[in-house]
Amino acid sequence: MTAAEPFAGASLRHVLATLGEPLVRVLVAPRGLGVPVQDVVILDPEDPPETHPGDLVLVIGARGRSAAAAIRAAGRAGATAVAVKGEGGTDVAADAGVALLTVGAEARWEQVEALARGVVDAARAGGEAETGEVLGDLFALAQTVATLTGGLVSIEDTASRVLAYSRAGDEVDELRRLSILGREGPERYLAILREWGVYQRLRAGEGIVRVEERPELGIRRRIAAGIHAGSQPLGTIWVQEGAQPLTEQAEVALLGASRTLAPQLIRARTLPDPQLRLREDLLAGLLEGRVDAESVADDIGADPARPAQVLAFTLSRQQSAAASDRLLRRAELVHLIAVHTAAYRRTALVSVLGGRVYALLPDLPEHSDAAVLALAKEIVGAARKHLDTPVRAALGGIVPRLSDAALSRGDADRVLMAMTRGHWPSDVASLADVRADVLLSEVLAYLGDQPRLRDPRLAELRAHDAEHGDILIPAVLAYLNAFGDVRTAARSLNIHPNTVRYRVRRASEVSGIDLADPAQRLLTELLLRL
């Protein structure tokens, strides 16, 4: 940028990608996310506005719709975006032609200002702002371990790629020199270590592996420890002995470091790059119904006027032995889903919300139901085969526009709930498959929230059952589920038919409910299912 050229600013997209959720979320962006941010200003609603074109305005002291006047003023001044705490004001911002961001309730304004200003200043200087600290953390930890062990430390992933290393010291051997120069272990040395069984022992589990000095091969003495998440290898940490022997506590320090590194390597594996993270954040906003679809359609590569559908995936419960292992499996599942859905629709997006993985399929052609169902089955089969991970998949309904994606996501969530509650025989289901269960659960949820709709006579029946062994209500439910067929109800309870007849009659006597009346019978069954 020359002195004669005006400063174009960092794009709003870059600012959002750097700050990220949950610090800042976009609610509406009527001019898209490619608009420039030229400066960052803090505005108190009671102060006279001092806003200029291209500003990112941080409105303090006003939440949601109470910031409407400041939003309108920023729009009139040509500001790029306004950030407030709270959710309201999207309609005001859309009318004003200014992007509206919401800042996390616990976030400090000075933190938001510093980060946003760092992005703008970096763009002004022609550089890029820092967007992650994972590798920085690894280098710092490598240096700490070097201090504790008295050796030269390197951290590698499972493919022997060097992720971080301590500062150079004396007596660097050929293996370390070539590894750091090439950012991965040289194949000739890797073959030797494999032949000696070093990697086999490192993958086998927790513990220290010792490699003795081999001067003729250019290998000095070193110790190593595998880094694991449960039973899954994540990488290796190596300590090469330098001019001085390793400290007495070197092996203890190395073991502790290998355990400390596990969550960091998981984070390095699962944390997407900033631009991808922004796309995932925008998708999450769409699926939660808090982001305007037209504002972000270009950034997620979708046509807001075309049909869309959401698929929801969840890991089976038996895979939750360790939180770190489950997190890795979910990250692998995300990649698998992304590959399969992108092959079906180029514009497919994948994100994780509340422990579930969601795939948005925008721009759907007509009559895509069978193809999407086949896609879901393919993903579930691939997860079981390649990841050894049982997965359930639920298909939400197809919605006519991208802005209705939250409705399709809600359908998918209800399908998953119905599959879990009803022990659905398949790992894949659509709304059409379990519509009756979904609708019934919504009716029951409504009744549960409306105490005035409950029959007080059933409360008397429950109180009686609580005092007498809980035998009448199960008999009534079995009788109703069997459409009044006493023998079928008796078989389901493993009791005699005469016992069922007695208990149903006794329940009617205690409660005063006439099960021969269709209306009373229907209401009784619904309320007992609560």
Side-chain angles (χ1 to χ4, degrees):
M1 182 175 67
T2 67
E5 293 174 328
F7 171 52
S11 70
L12 179 59
R13 181 185 300 108
H14 191 184
V15 174
L16 289 168
T18 301
L19 272 63
E21 294 198 32
L23 192 62
V24 173
R25 291 189 280 108
V26 61
L27 295 179
V28 64
R31 293 185 287 151
L33 302 183
V35 288
V37 177
Q38 296 178 328
D39 200 3
V40 182
V41 298
I42 291 183
L43 176 67
D44 189 312
E46 296 183 359
D47 294 338
E50 295 184 5
T51 305
H52 302 90
D55 282 352
L56 167 57
V57 183
L58 311 181
V59 180
I60 63 174
R63 301 180 65 87
R65 298 194 64 86
S66 64
I71 294 171
R72 292 191 187 96
R76 288 193 297 270
T80 293
V82 176
V84 299
K85 290 194 174 184
E87 295 284 345
T90 54
D91 52 344
V92 176
D95 291 341
V98 63
L100 181 62
L101 315 179
T102 179
V103 176
E106 303 301 321
R108 302 190 311 274
W109 282 113
E110 60 268 26
Q111 177 191 17
V112 176
E113 181 195 18
L115 289 172
R117 192 173 296 282
V119 178
V120 174
D121 290 347
R124 191 185 303 275
E128 294 183 358
E130 291 293 333
T131 55
E133 300 179 354
V134 175
L135 291 182
D137 293 344
L138 294 182
F139 276 93
L141 182 57
Q143 192 58 47
T144 300
V145 178
T147 300
L148 294 174
T149 61
L152 308 174
V153 176
S154 60
I155 302 169
E156 300 178 359
D157 64 13
T158 52
S160 298
R161 290 185 292 260
V162 177
L163 302 175
Y165 49 87
S166 61
R167 290 190 294 271
D170 53 2
E171 300 295 334
V172 174
D173 68 8
E174 189 70 0
L175 173 54
R176 178 179 170 84
R177 186 182 71 82
L178 293 176
S179 296
I180 292 176
L181 286 176
R183 298 311 298 264
E184 64 181 356
E187 181 55 39
R188 179 168 70 91
Y189 284 99
L190 296 182
I192 293 172
L193 294 175
R194 283 194 291 266
E195 182 181 338
W196 293 346
V198 172
Y199 284 108
Q200 182 179 359
R201 282 178 281 159
L202 288 169
R203 287 193 299 268
E206 191 176 77
I208 302 299
V209 176
R210 302 168 187 85
V211 179
E212 296 305 322
E213 184 174 16
R214 297 291 294 271
E216 73 279 11
L217 298 174
I219 298 177
R220 294 184 62 87
R221 177 175 177 260
R222 55 188 11 91
I223 56 177
I227 305 165
H228 298 84
S231 60
Q232 184 162 352
L234 298 174
T236 309
I237 177 169
W238 299 85
V239 180
Q240 182 222 302
E241 190 173 69
Q244 301 298 321
L246 298 178
T247 65
E248 292 183 1
Q249 296 300 312
E251 293 192 357
V252 174
L254 182 60
L255 182 61
S258 70
R259 295 170 177 172
T260 301
L261 277 163
Q264 297 208 49
L265 291 196
I266 291 173
R267 184 168 159 235
R269 272 194 186 193
T270 59
L271 191 66
D273 69 75
Q275 293 298 330
L276 178 57
R277 188 173 68 237
L278 174 61
R279 283 166 56 85
E280 291 185 355
D281 290 346
L282 295 177
L283 173 57
L286 270 179
L287 297 184
E288 291 179 339
R290 53 179 170 76
V291 172
D292 174 62
E294 282 72 17
S295 297
V296 299
D298 286 343
D299 275 87
I300 65 173
D303 183 344
R306 296 281 302 278
Q309 187 173 13
V310 174
L311 281 62
F313 300 85
T314 185
L315 295 171
S316 295
R317 282 296 174 189
Q318 58 261 40
Q319 295 297 330
S320 58
S324 58
D325 186 55
R326 187 172 178 82
L327 182 61
L328 272 180
R329 287 181 178 273
R330 189 160 60 223
E332 293 172 338
L333 179 62
V334 168
H335 294 313
L336 185 144
I337 293 170
V339 168
H340 282 77
T341 54
Y344 174 67
R345 303 302 299 167
R346 182 184 296 275
T347 51
L349 287 172
V350 179
S351 188
V352 178
L353 283 172
R356 291 177 176 172
V357 184
Y358 294 93
L360 172 66
L361 304 178
D363 308 332
L364 283 179
E366 293 184 6
H367 311 299
S368 57
D369 307 62
V372 174
L373 180 60
L375 172 66
K377 291 180 178 179
E378 181 181 337
I379 291 171
V380 168
R384 185 177 296 276
K385 178 180 179 181
H386 299 296
L387 305 182
D388 191 26
T389 302
V391 172
R392 285 196 181 100
L395 282 65
I398 297 176
V399 291
R401 298 176 57 85
L402 186 64
S403 56
D404 295 325
L407 298 177
S408 184
R409 182 256 177 127
D411 288 344
D413 283 337
R414 287 189 286 272
V415 172
L416 276 180
M417 290 177 61
M419 292 171 70
T420 303
R421 184 175 55 251
H423 305 291
W424 186 252
S426 171
D427 291 327
V428 180
S430 67
L431 182 60
D433 294 326
V434 294
R435 191 181 301 276
D437 292 311
V438 168
L439 294 179
L440 177 59
S441 68
E442 293 184 0
V443 169
L444 294 179
Y446 178 77
L447 289 175
D449 292 336
Q450 302 291 330
R452 66 183 183 84
L453 297 181
R454 299 177 192 174
D455 190 331
R457 294 176 295 179
L458 286 176
E460 297 177 13
L461 179 59
R462 288 194 182 93
H464 180 277
D465 244 20
E467 293 181 10
H468 298 84
D470 293 318
I471 58 174
L472 299 185
I473 289 177
V476 172
L477 270 175
Y479 174 79
L480 294 173
N481 286 339
F483 302 101
D485 186 329
V486 173
R487 294 188 180 278
T488 300
R491 282 196 297 271
S492 69
L493 296 174
N494 198 27
I495 58 178
H496 195 276
N498 287 340
T499 304
V500 173
R501 292 188 182 93
Y502 168 77
R503 291 179 181 178
V504 170
R505 185 170 62 252
R506 180 62 180 148
S508 294
E509 294 171 354
V510 169
S511 64
I513 294 173
D514 182 7
L515 294 178
D517 180 85
Q520 294 188 54
R521 187 169 62 242
L522 174 61
L523 184 61
T524 296
E525 182 171 3
L526 286 173
L527 292 175
L528 287 183
R529 283 179 178 269
L530 284 175

